[in-house]
Amino acid sequence: MTSLNSWLRLEPQCRNPNMNTGLQARVYDPLWFLARQWQVGEFQGEDNGSPIKAAFTGESARFTRYTPSARLSAPVTGQAYDGAQIPLEALVERERVRDEQTPLKKLRLAVEAGQHFLRILGRQTTSTDYAAQFKTKFAFSALSSADRNALDPASVAYLDLMMPRVPDGRKLYTKLLPLLRPTAPAKPSLPTNLTIAAGDVAEVQSAGSSWLDWYEHLFSEPGTAGSATAPASAWLPERMEYGFSLGSHMASGERVLSSREYFSGHLDWQDFNVNEGAALGAVNDAPSKTIKTTLIPAPVSYRGMPAVRFWEFEDASVDLGAIDAGPEDLARMLLIEFAISYGNDWFVLPLELEVGSLFKSSSLVISNTFGEQFLIRSANESGTRAATFRMFQLSNQPSGLATPSVPDANLFLLAPSHWTSHESRPLEEVHLLRDEMANLAWGVERIVESATEQPLNRLEQQADVAEIQGDPQRDRLLYRLATQPPDYWIPLLPVKHADGLRLKRGRILAADGSQQPVAAKGNILVPDPKSGLELYEEEVPREGARVTRSYQLARWQDGSTHLWIGRRKRVGRGEGSSGLAFDKLR
């Protein structure tokens, strides 16, 4: 049977041309609203006034001393440090980039430095072109057969192309530096092996001086002229982390903050601990300053907060009511309760502080609309319950297995760290992993820096060599006393140490029968050829670790640009297998 459906359409009909009735928002049961307000306690009025003025008093001490060590057993004299000149990450991480002593390192930099010198010289107005003389007198040394065998094919091709066309920037720097910047009373001069017309000497000297300034200030390095210098590196090879300390002069004496495990690339307050008893000599520097200022409190505002006015549309990009919280999510429930119900009861004081300083609050007095004044105490002075608040609070340097204590709850650190930096692709990458089948740990040099400062993939390099050499005995059964791991897998052997188990870098003999050990080629696994490398066993966990070296570029608050090479440590990719086995028949 066919059914007949019918319906009535409901349409709003406005009987009044104005909108007064709709704007009144009438209700038919106002008593119900009054009862709900009474139930939730909205009729419990409090005679509280809104804050209108705040008087803040505190102490500010700039960091004036730095030392590349976090474990200070005795007072030391730290080097002078000015956070307004250089970001702290650059000072801690940077290492030498230029190398004028090693022949087969930093060759691309030497080529590009020679190119830039010719550009600067070409801008000078001289009677003749002197570029050919500099190419001849400061030419690159020819590559020997041993050098060509030691370099990768890409580096050899690059050097064959560029070396005859430009002077060697390393030789230029070594020769021009003492001549153009002599000690008084000597005057600047040019190399005697150059034939320069008398009228062009000033122009060539000007080009050389400009080039020296560019060459010395292109990178941020330890010992660079015009910047803070580090007496030693802050990198700890046995930890694959950085460790350093900062000192400031406060009214109560010197305060030293130490960072023992920094490897993330960005420094903040959680990376530091108060090192009680340590001294860097900051008491001899400028003392702290007293901060006295009057502030106007501003109501807290955040995305998604309830609207204050009745007809105001709320921000729909954040839906706080859609957040799920289980019975055990106490912190999440408290956050939602604050955001929805009590957010408009909080105020913000816009206090401006100096970057690169340690602060201590003394007093905070709030004046409200009734003319009353209230002294707001710090968390550690407000009783036992409030003293457990630990946000932005520095702890003492941990000692052994003891729980770090809180030295002073009023200390606040505003680190002289950059907001962000641009990171290049890794120049070097090492994977630290465990091999349970071989009962060893390995340092896998996945990428190393070539002679022309390009990332060299060790896996692809070994695959190319194996393809060229081939296996002439692949159709025969061969007995192997031990299989040959890849040559870029460096063994880390467990050894007993005074403070526990260490993983010492070892070597594997080459498979060609030459009895020559296969050594690491990068800088991460070769921190010191004399003392070797002994990693703490806990630094190679089951998930492994990934350590990289790369260029970092950041702009500081004074507008200066800083370029340096830094290291990062990240979580690895789990366990691995080198294929090492014994008594094998292939």
Side-chain angles (χ1 to χ4, degrees):
M1 295 179 59
T2 58
S3 62
L4 181 62
N5 297 328
S6 62
W7 65 90
L8 296 177
R9 185 171 64 181
L10 302 179
E11 296 180 356
Q13 183 176 4
C14 184
R15 300 180 180 273
N16 195 337
N18 56 41
M19 302 177 64
N20 294 336
T21 304
L23 294 175
Q24 291 174 1
R26 297 177 180 178
V27 295
Y28 288 96
D29 193 0
L31 185 59
W32 184 87
F33 283 110
L34 294 176
R36 300 290 83 76
Q37 289 179 283
W38 173 77
Q39 286 180 334
V40 298
E42 290 188 6
F43 295 156
Q44 297 178 2
E46 298 178 356
D47 294 332
N48 293 335
S50 299
I52 60 174
K53 186 177 66 172
F56 175 81
T57 303
E59 178 186 1
S60 171
R62 290 190 59 84
F63 291 108
T64 57
R65 295 288 171 173
Y66 164 82
T67 186
S69 176
R71 292 169 173 81
L72 305 174
S73 57
V76 298
T77 302
Q79 69 177 81
Y81 169 63
D82 185 4
Q85 301 295 327
I86 182 174
L88 186 56
E89 290 90 347
L91 179 64
V92 173
E93 300 174 8
R94 62 185 185 172
E95 55 190 62
R96 292 293 297 178
V97 179
R98 297 173 297 145
D99 191 347
E100 291 85 16
Q101 307 300 326
T102 309
L104 295 181
K105 280 190 176 181
K106 304 296 181 182
L107 296 178
R108 181 178 290 269
L109 176 59
V111 169
E112 293 182 354
Q115 282 182 315
H116 193 63
F117 175 79
L118 296 182
R119 295 191 195 102
I120 297 178
L121 183 63
R123 298 191 190 105
Q124 301 293 328
T125 305
T126 56
S127 59
T128 184
D129 187 6
Y130 296 103
Q133 286 197 50
F134 281 95
K135 294 178 186 178
T136 304
K137 303 299 183 181
F138 301 98
F140 281 89
S141 301
L143 295 177
S144 62
S145 300
D147 294 339
R148 292 180 178 274
N149 294 332
L151 299 177
D152 59 288
S155 297
V156 173
Y158 175 80
L159 295 175
D160 288 341
L161 176 66
M162 299 302 299
M163 288 171 61
R165 291 172 167 81
V166 294
D168 189 344
R170 300 168 299 179
K171 295 182 179 180
L172 271 174
Y173 179 75
T174 305
K175 189 67 175 180
L176 294 181
L177 181 63
L179 294 177
L180 295 180
R181 294 178 179 174
T183 57
K187 296 182 179 181
S189 60
L190 292 174
T192 56
N193 58 348
L194 296 176
T195 304
I196 308 296
D200 298 334
V201 171
E203 286 75 9
V204 176
Q205 289 182 355
S206 176
S209 298
S210 300
W211 180 81
L212 286 177
D213 292 337
W214 170 85
Y215 189 76
E216 291 181 341
H217 295 87
L218 177 61
F219 302 102
S220 181
E221 301 176 276
T224 300
S227 63
T229 59
S233 174
W235 179 254
L236 305 174
E238 67 276 7
R239 292 288 186 184
M240 292 292 169
E241 299 163 347
Y242 293 100
F244 62 96
S245 300
L246 295 174
S248 61
H249 185 188
M250 304 196 73
S252 58
E254 183 175 359
R255 285 285 190 178
V256 177
L257 301 185
S258 298
S259 177
R260 300 176 62 178
E261 300 179 357
Y262 163 60
F263 53 83
S264 61
H266 179 69
L267 283 163
D268 213 337
W269 65 273
Q270 66 269 13
D271 295 309
F272 293 88
N273 293 312
V274 179
N275 201 337
E276 295 287 356
L280 301 180
V283 292
N284 301 321
D285 301 329
S288 60
K289 300 178 182 178
T290 301
I291 302 176
K292 291 184 178 180
T293 182
T294 301
L295 308 170
I296 299 178
V300 170
S301 61
Y302 48 88
R303 295 171 64 90
M305 70 180 304
V308 179
R309 299 178 59 187
F310 183 74
W311 288 111
E312 183 180 354
F313 288 97
E314 297 180 354
D315 187 3
S317 60
V318 178
D319 188 1
L320 298 175
I323 298 179
D324 295 330
E328 69 280 359
D329 295 336
L330 181 59
R332 185 179 299 182
M333 296 171 66
L334 290 176
L335 177 62
I336 299 305
E337 182 73 9
F338 160 79
I340 295 179
S341 302
Y342 303 102
N344 57 350
D345 294 336
W346 290 76
F347 291 81
V348 176
L349 301 178
L351 179 62
E352 293 186 3
L353 302 177
E354 193 173 10
V355 176
S357 300
L358 188 63
F359 302 92
K360 183 177 182 180
S361 60
S362 301
S363 65
L364 177 62
V365 179
I366 302 295
S367 302
N368 62 11
T369 52
F370 297 121
E372 299 173 320
Q373 293 185 339
F374 300 90
L375 175 63
I376 308 300
R377 301 183 182 276
S378 61
N380 66 327
E381 298 175 352
S382 301
T384 306
R385 296 179 60 185
T388 58
F389 185 75
R390 292 290 184 269
M391 191 63 178
F392 303 113
Q393 198 169 98
L394 299 173
S395 300
N396 270 329
Q397 186 90 326
S399 177
L401 299 178
T403 303
S405 58
V406 179
D408 194 337
N410 287 338
L411 290 179
F412 175 74
L413 168 65
L414 190 56
S417 57
H418 58 68
W419 175 253
T420 184
S421 65
H422 297 281
E423 183 175 358
S424 70
R425 59 178 178 172
L427 294 172
E428 186 175 349
E429 180 177 343
V430 173
H431 290 201
L432 303 174
L433 51 86
R434 292 184 178 270
D435 184 0
E436 295 296 341
M437 297 302 296
N439 198 21
L440 283 175
W442 299 87
V444 182
E445 288 187 322
R446 182 177 175 271
I447 296 175
V448 296
E449 184 180 1
S450 68
T452 53
E453 303 154 73
Q454 298 300 303
L456 182 62
N457 192 307
R458 294 292 307 278
L459 173 61
E460 296 178 357
Q461 186 184 31
Q462 189 180 42
D464 294 339
V465 173
E467 183 178 358
I468 295 174
Q469 294 179 349
D471 189 0
Q473 298 178 337
R474 61 189 173 199
D475 296 333
R476 300 176 54 189
L477 292 177
L478 297 177
Y479 169 74
R480 297 293 187 189
L481 179 64
T483 59
Q484 180 67 25
D487 61 357
Y488 57 92
W489 284 58
I490 310 301
L492 302 175
L493 307 175
V495 295
K496 189 176 181 180
H497 204 268
D499 54 359
L501 188 64
R502 296 280 190 97
L503 299 176
K504 186 173 182 178
R505 184 195 63 203
R507 293 183 178 183
I508 292 181
L509 294 178
D512 55 4
S514 61
Q515 299 297 316
Q516 295 295 325
V518 179
K521 295 185 177 181
N523 294 338
I524 295 178
L525 294 180
V526 192
D528 189 353
K530 296 181 180 180
S531 61
L533 174 65
E534 292 187 354
L535 276 169
Y536 282 88
E537 193 250 350
E538 61 268 20
E539 299 302 332
V540 188
R542 185 170 296 275
E543 62 272 15
R546 175 173 171 258
V547 185
T548 59
R549 288 177 64 246
S550 57
Y551 281 102
Q552 307 290 330
L553 177 65
R555 188 178 294 276
W556 194 223
Q557 58 186 0
D558 60 350
S560 59
T561 302
H562 299 267
L563 177 64
W564 73 95
I565 293 181
R567 306 188 183 194
R568 303 284 184 269
K569 185 172 73 170
R570 301 174 176 90
V571 179
R573 301 178 180 178
E575 299 180 2
S577 176
S578 61
L580 178 62
F582 300 92
D583 292 330
K584 284 291 183 179
L585 191 65
R586 291 183 54 202

